[in-house]
Amino acid sequence: LQDVVNRNRDSASPTDSDYDRYRRKMLIASSEDSVVIQSFKLLKEYDYVDYNTSHNKQFTAFPKNVGFNDGLSAAKPDMIEGFIMPEFDPFPIREELGGAAVVTPGPNAVTLAHIAGEWKDGGKDLTQAETQAAYDGACLVYGRNKALAYLGTSDPPGHASVFTFTTDGTILNVYAHYSSRSEGKEKYHIFPFSNTFLRSSHGDHKAGQKRLRNIQD
């Protein structure tokens, strides 16, 4: 995962002026929305229209009481990304896999998302964001496992293909998510494997963008 997140990219990195503008904007950011607007620019925008980003959509279709979410309200990540449901045609994915794969209603719902993000206002404790990311990631891993089981296969032990990130515009944390089976129970894991200070230097800022875009890809 370290190799994946740190691999070089062909696209242009943020310039010195991009970094300076970001740093100054973050110094005066007065709300979580302001942090989102500025730091969202670090993410890659895909030209492929059927790969979509969904914001603040609660996982109302996700199955209830599957172990890790017993008695909890549905997850509501600040962002998820993935292909929209029509991309899986002619396979009837909602009918076959239900809310495990298609976590929100609507004909163009993001389906089998592989990445989620959680933002906090600058200076706010990111521990809550990490807890939210753990919940988001467990939901996405659950959906991936259901899809693989339908195909008659599974991920190798310890393999992670679901990622989340948390940021307050200054600190960027990236996590990998996977599950394991122990004592007859499915356990869901969050593994922190990258930490970047987006405002400390131009080099760190470039590294943060690279890491975010690599886990998107």
Side-chain angles (χ1 to χ4, degrees):
L1 288 177
Q2 290 292 346
D3 290 339
V4 169
V5 78
N6 288 312
R7 65 190 173 198
N8 292 326
R9 301 184 61 83
D10 295 331
S11 55
S13 298
T15 65
D16 279 319
S17 59
D18 291 334
Y19 163 66
D20 190 56
R21 186 181 306 109
Y22 178 90
R23 183 183 59 80
R24 289 186 287 108
K25 289 284 188 181
M26 280 302 173
L27 284 171
I28 61 172
S30 58
S31 67
E32 184 175 311
D33 287 343
S34 299
V35 173
V36 172
I37 289 169
Q38 296 304 319
S39 57
F40 199 82
K41 298 172 185 176
L42 297 173
L43 289 160
K44 179 178 177 179
E45 185 175 355
Y46 291 87
D47 294 330
Y48 191 60
V49 294
D50 292 322
Y51 181 85
N52 197 25
T53 304
S54 178
H55 301 275
N56 295 309
K57 291 284 187 71
Q58 192 162 25
F59 289 1
T60 53
F62 190 82
K64 295 178 174 58
N65 301 321
V66 297
F68 65 84
N69 67 343
D70 296 359
L72 299 178
S73 58
K76 188 181 179 182
D78 290 336
M79 183 210 84
I80 58 171
E81 279 189 349
F83 289 103
I84 60 175
M85 193 170 62
E87 279 295 281
F88 293 84
D89 290 342
F91 179 67
I93 192 164
R94 177 170 272 155
E95 289 76 7
E96 292 292 344
L97 296 179
V102 193
V103 294
T104 59
N108 294 310
V110 170
T111 301
L112 288 176
H114 65 98
I115 184 171
E118 295 285 359
W119 277 265
K120 291 296 176 190
D121 190 3
K124 296 289 181 66
D125 188 354
L126 282 172
T127 302
Q128 182 183 3
E130 181 176 333
T131 301
Q132 292 171 309
Y135 192 20
D136 302 340
C139 293
L140 302 190
V141 169
Y142 180 89
R144 177 178 174 85
N145 288 347
K146 289 294 183 183
L148 291 172
Y150 185 92
L151 298 173
T153 186
S154 62
D155 279 326
H159 175 81
S161 287
V162 166
F163 302 97
T164 63
F165 66 88
T166 64
T167 186
D168 60 358
T170 297
I171 300 171
L172 170 68
N173 297 310
V174 178
Y175 305 91
H177 299 261
Y178 62 99
S179 67
S180 65
R181 195 152 188 87
S182 176
E183 300 176 352
K185 294 182 179 180
E186 198 75 17
K187 297 183 178 181
Y188 294 83
H189 307 276
I190 177 172
F191 181 80
F193 73 98
S194 176
N195 174 270
T196 312
F197 289 89
L198 296 170
R199 281 172 38 196
S200 60
S201 71
H202 183 209
D204 285 339
H205 187 75
K206 290 192 293 184
Q209 175 175 292
K210 177 174 68 175
R211 290 166 181 170
L212 273 180
R213 296 187 176 198
N214 281 338
I215 62 169
Q216 283 180 281
D217 287 348

